[in-house]
Amino acid sequence: MASHQPLEGSSTAPRSQSEEEEEEEAVVTNCSGEMFGLFGKSKPVKIRSFNENRKYGVAAKDLKELLKKGCKTLKLPLPVAHVCLYSDGTTVTEEFFQTLPDHTELVLLYGEQTWSGVVHDIGELLDTDRHADAIIEAAKGLLSDEESPKRRKILSDLLLNLDDRSELESREEDEEWFRGVEARFKTKSAYMKSNCESRIRGYMKEVDAATKTIQKAKVRAEFLKTSKSLVEMLKAARYNGSYFDRTETEPARLCTQEGWFTCQGSFDLDVCKSLHSINPYGSRESRILFSTWNLDHRIEKKRTVIPALLDALQNHKAADVNLTYFYRLLFTRENLKLVHIVCHKKGAHNLQCDAKKVFERASEANKRNQPTNGKKRRLK
């Protein structure tokens, strides 16, 4: 190492080699070669690894020292290590390091590891299998001391979704879920199935209620026949209770095997733009909140479907009406959409029944009048 020579005319006495080395170590230079000072000041930062949430305080005068100390603390291989910002994953260079405020949070990575910022931690939070209990306790602690209504709402919603007991099914396993539920229900699926059946039965009651509006006795008689036939069809389908029953096969249910329901969007949309979802099997509160979700008729039940059925029977018999068509409009997912209360538009939908499907006999007559084997049917 070349020794420092005193300037000409200077009376400075020669220094030892150790003194010269200490001075060299105190000089900090950035990537452009600019000198920060003869005695580099250490910058305190907080550093963590890719796989751990614990943060360590480290003081370093440059990136090289930070990497050396960080790898030693976190027990990572130094040759392939690199540093980025915790907040957004920006790579930290030597020049960038010198501009960072004290106590900046950093992540030490190695090899091909990458960091996506706080999005990474959100992903960890969503994967609660490993840390669910700890997160729940931490959220409860924060909630008890929180005064901000907005933050309390966020923490409450977080707790509602984290404290998920959807894997439990019987009353003995999850008594809290069944609080307020009739004793005859022994499983969650049985209750949810009955809940759906009750909604469908309610639609049938609205059909029956239309009888009171009919003035002509013959029309009323035909309507009663129609109503009776619809009830028989519902009984055969078990009132479509399978829609809410997670133990049913996938085509028959509206939820996942775990019990998650997804809003299907308002009647005039293909999907829910807000991505509403809920699992009423998860907690008692979620079960109660699910009661505000609606099975919404795209072609409206009261405004359109029932009036169309009444109109069809004014001059036709019940046997002439395409009951299967009306059954599907009134009671099946062919015309029903499960929607969050926010997505339930109560204004007029302005959708009409298909006039070509209203009458059963008309379609059959058309088939009979079609030419057979290329020959026209003779009229007698």
Side-chain angles (χ1 to χ4, degrees):
M1 180 182 296
S3 60
H4 291 269
Q5 299 296 328
L7 297 175
E8 185 176 355
S10 172
S11 60
T12 303
R15 294 174 299 172
S16 67
Q17 183 176 353
S18 61
E19 290 176 326
E20 292 174 354
E21 290 178 348
E22 289 176 359
E23 180 178 326
E24 286 182 4
E25 289 179 358
V27 176
V28 180
T29 307
N30 68 5
C31 294
S32 61
E34 296 176 350
M35 188 175 291
F36 283 89
L38 292 178
F39 298 94
K41 180 182 178 182
S42 293
K43 182 190 298 292
V45 296
K46 296 178 181 178
I47 197 163
R48 54 169 283 179
S49 68
F50 180 86
N51 297 318
E52 295 183 11
N53 293 325
R54 184 178 178 182
K55 300 170 185 176
Y56 298 85
V58 175
K61 63 179 181 293
D62 56 27
L63 183 60
K64 181 178 180 180
E65 184 180 12
L66 174 65
L67 286 169
K68 184 177 180 180
K69 289 184 176 181
C71 287
K72 182 178 180 180
T73 301
L74 300 173
K75 296 179 174 58
L76 295 177
L78 177 60
V80 290
H82 50 106
V83 179
C84 71
L85 292 182
Y86 166 77
S87 59
D88 61 9
T90 300
T91 299
V92 176
T93 62
E94 179 63 54
E95 184 176 14
F96 188 27
F97 176 78
Q98 299 300 338
T99 67
L100 295 178
D102 289 353
H103 309 296
T104 297
E105 295 187 18
L106 304 173
V107 182
L108 183 60
L109 307 171
Y110 70 92
E112 298 181 356
Q113 286 182 336
T114 59
W115 182 262
S116 54
V118 293
V119 175
H120 176 87
D121 278 352
I122 294 175
E124 289 289 308
L125 180 61
L126 293 175
D127 183 17
T128 58
D129 291 342
R130 293 178 299 166
H131 313 293
D133 293 339
I135 294 175
I136 290 173
E137 290 305 314
K140 286 180 178 179
L142 290 171
L143 181 61
S144 63
D145 298 327
E146 184 57 59
E147 296 183 359
S148 166
K150 179 179 179 180
R151 290 170 63 89
R152 287 182 66 87
K153 170 62 176 173
I154 293 173
L155 289 169
S156 296
D157 288 346
L158 176 63
L159 280 171
L160 175 63
N161 288 283
L162 288 179
D163 193 12
D164 181 14
R165 300 169 64 83
S166 58
E167 75 279 3
L168 306 179
E169 173 68 10
S170 69
R171 182 181 286 269
E172 289 75 16
E173 293 174 318
D174 194 356
E175 292 184 359
E176 172 61 19
W177 192 93
F178 287 88
R179 185 156 59 91
V181 173
E182 294 179 51
R184 63 189 177 97
F185 295 109
K186 306 301 180 183
T187 65
K188 295 178 180 180
S189 297
Y191 172 80
M192 293 299 296
K193 182 177 183 178
S194 177
N195 181 277
C196 185
E197 291 175 355
S198 296
R199 298 193 189 202
I200 301 298
R201 289 176 189 272
Y203 303 155
M204 188 64 233
K205 288 180 180 179
E206 292 182 55
V207 174
D208 290 335
T211 307
K212 299 177 181 179
T213 66
I214 303 173
Q215 302 297 324
K216 298 179 181 179
K218 289 184 178 181
V219 176
R220 187 183 304 111
E222 293 301 321
F223 188 83
L224 289 173
K225 291 179 184 179
T226 301
S227 178
K228 183 178 179 180
S229 296
L230 289 173
V231 170
E232 293 302 318
M233 296 171 75
L234 280 172
K235 287 181 178 179
R238 298 181 180 179
Y239 289 87
N240 294 321
S242 62
Y243 289 167
F244 291 177
D245 183 358
R246 66 178 177 180
T247 65
E248 290 285 348
T249 56
E250 189 170 355
R253 65 175 188 249
L254 290 173
C255 61
T256 66
Q257 192 172 2
E258 294 75 26
W260 281 98
F261 291 84
T262 300
C263 175
Q264 296 175 319
S266 59
F267 77 94
D268 53 349
L269 296 176
D270 293 330
V271 296
C272 171
K273 291 184 177 180
S274 299
L275 303 178
H276 295 120
S277 61
I278 190 172
N279 189 343
Y281 289 85
S283 67
R284 176 175 177 268
E285 183 172 346
S286 293
R287 169 176 64 78
I288 294 173
L289 287 174
F290 185 68
S291 64
T292 65
W293 285 50
N294 294 275
L295 282 171
D296 187 28
H297 290 79
R298 290 185 65 256
I299 302 176
E300 296 170 280
K301 175 178 74 270
K302 284 186 175 181
R303 287 192 178 105
T304 307
V305 181
I306 295 177
L309 179 58
L310 287 170
D311 186 62
L313 291 169
Q314 294 300 316
N315 298 302
H316 295 82
K317 295 182 178 181
D320 297 331
V321 175
N322 186 351
L323 284 183
T324 300
Y325 175 62
F326 282 100
Y327 169 81
R328 290 174 176 170
L329 290 181
L330 289 166
F331 309 117
T332 75
R333 57 194 302 180
E334 185 173 314
N335 189 47
L336 292 173
K337 297 187 74 176
L338 181 66
V339 296
H340 186 281
I341 188 171
V342 172
C343 294
H344 185 203
K345 296 182 179 180
K346 296 185 177 181
H349 293 186
N350 297 319
L351 297 176
Q352 302 300 318
C353 297
D354 188 343
K356 296 179 180 179
K357 297 180 180 180
V358 170
F359 296 106
E360 183 72 39
R361 292 299 178 89
S363 60
E364 291 181 357
N366 289 334
K367 291 180 182 179
R368 288 197 299 270
N369 290 330
Q370 292 296 321
T372 305
N373 296 327
K375 297 180 181 180
K376 293 185 178 179
R377 184 184 180 91
R378 287 186 179 182
L379 298 177
K380 297 181 179 180

